[in-house]
């Protein structure tokens, strides 16, 4: 028509939801439950003992998975909020055992001599911490293992007893 019309409009930024999930070997949390487009979102990851962060991704609703570069020992990350709801996912993997250190490399013993040994799993935060002691020849030396839990961690000790003559290897 020939009349002027006045239109009133209110514009508001849309809030998008953020959800977080993990594989069960740690947790991932967002500092916000929702955010607006291009807001910075802080993500915190906490692995369970013996695990480390393997992958961290986010997927906008209707979009593709985006990998967030993961750095060993870093537990805080951030993303810029896309214009869609987002699902964040963290996957953790076991911290592998690199080796075992034993308190003594070799020893000469006489029959009925006893030797105390200790062993430590490397790295100390590896998931598997069990040590089993074994003698390569029980007719030469026997080994009995014990586990002692201290404030500083777990100490695996063994008593080696020479019972015959010959060469033997003690395994941990």
């Amino acid at each position: 028509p020939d009349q002027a019309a006045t239109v009133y409009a209110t514009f508001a930024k849309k809030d998008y939801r953020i959800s977080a999930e993990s594989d069960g070997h740690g947790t991932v949390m967002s500092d916000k439950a929702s955010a607006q487009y291009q807001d910075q979102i802080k993500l915190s990851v906490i692995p369970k003992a013996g695990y480390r962060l393997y992958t961290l991704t986010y997927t906008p609703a209707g979009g593709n998975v985006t990998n967030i570069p993961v750095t060993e020992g870093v537990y805080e990350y951030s993303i810029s909020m896309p214009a869609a709801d987002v699902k964040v996912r963290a996957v953790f993997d076991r911290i592998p055992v690199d080796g075992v250190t034993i308190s003594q490399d070799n020893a000469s013993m006489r029959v009925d001599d006893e030797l105390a040994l200790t062993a430590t799993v490397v790295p100390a935060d590896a998931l598997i911490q069990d040590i089993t002691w074994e003698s390569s020849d029980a007719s030469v030396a026997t080994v009995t293992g014990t586990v002692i839990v201290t404030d500083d961690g777990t100490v695996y000790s063994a008593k080696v007893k020479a019972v015959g003559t010959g060469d033997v290897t003690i395994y941990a």
Side-chain angles (χ1 to χ4, degrees):
D2 294 334
Q3 297 178 352
T6 304
V7 176
Y8 296 97
T10 302
F11 297 96
K13 288 186 175 182
K14 180 174 170 128
D15 283 338
Y16 297 100
R17 291 178 308 212
I18 303 161
S19 63
E21 64 181 29
S22 81
D23 63 0
H25 299 295
T27 58
V28 59
M29 298 171 285
S30 169
D31 67 335
K32 300 174 185 175
S34 64
Q36 297 173 350
Y37 175 61
Q38 294 185 332
D39 283 353
Q40 287 299 303
I41 308 305
K42 293 180 184 174
L43 304 172
S44 300
V45 294
I46 304 169
K48 286 186 176 178
Y51 286 86
R52 62 184 174 193
L53 181 61
Y54 181 64
T55 61
L56 184 61
T57 61
Y58 70 94
T59 308
N64 296 323
V65 174
T66 300
N67 287 310
I68 300 168
V70 171
T71 303
E72 183 83 25
V74 174
Y75 303 108
E76 300 289 328
Y77 296 88
S78 66
I79 62 170
S80 180
M81 187 69 180
D85 292 342
V86 167
K87 180 182 281 187
V88 176
R89 179 158 171 77
V91 176
F92 300 87
D93 70 344
R94 292 178 176 186
I95 297 173
V97 174
D98 289 336
V100 175
T101 60
I102 300 176
S103 59
Q104 194 166 335
D105 290 336
N106 56 55
S108 295
M109 300 172 68
R110 297 181 188 273
V111 174
D112 292 328
D113 282 354
E114 292 184 356
L115 174 68
L117 296 175
T118 59
T120 306
V121 174
V122 178
D125 58 352
L127 178 64
I128 299 170
Q129 289 286 321
D130 297 334
I131 292 180
T132 303
W133 296 90
E134 186 179 322
S135 172
S136 66
D137 187 345
S139 68
V140 176
T142 60
V143 60
T144 305
T146 59
V147 178
I148 302 165
V149 179
T150 67
D151 290 340
D152 297 333
T154 303
V155 177
Y156 298 90
S157 63
K159 179 176 74 173
V160 178
K161 182 171 183 174
V163 294
T165 59
D167 292 330
V168 67
T169 301
I170 304 299
Y171 298 100

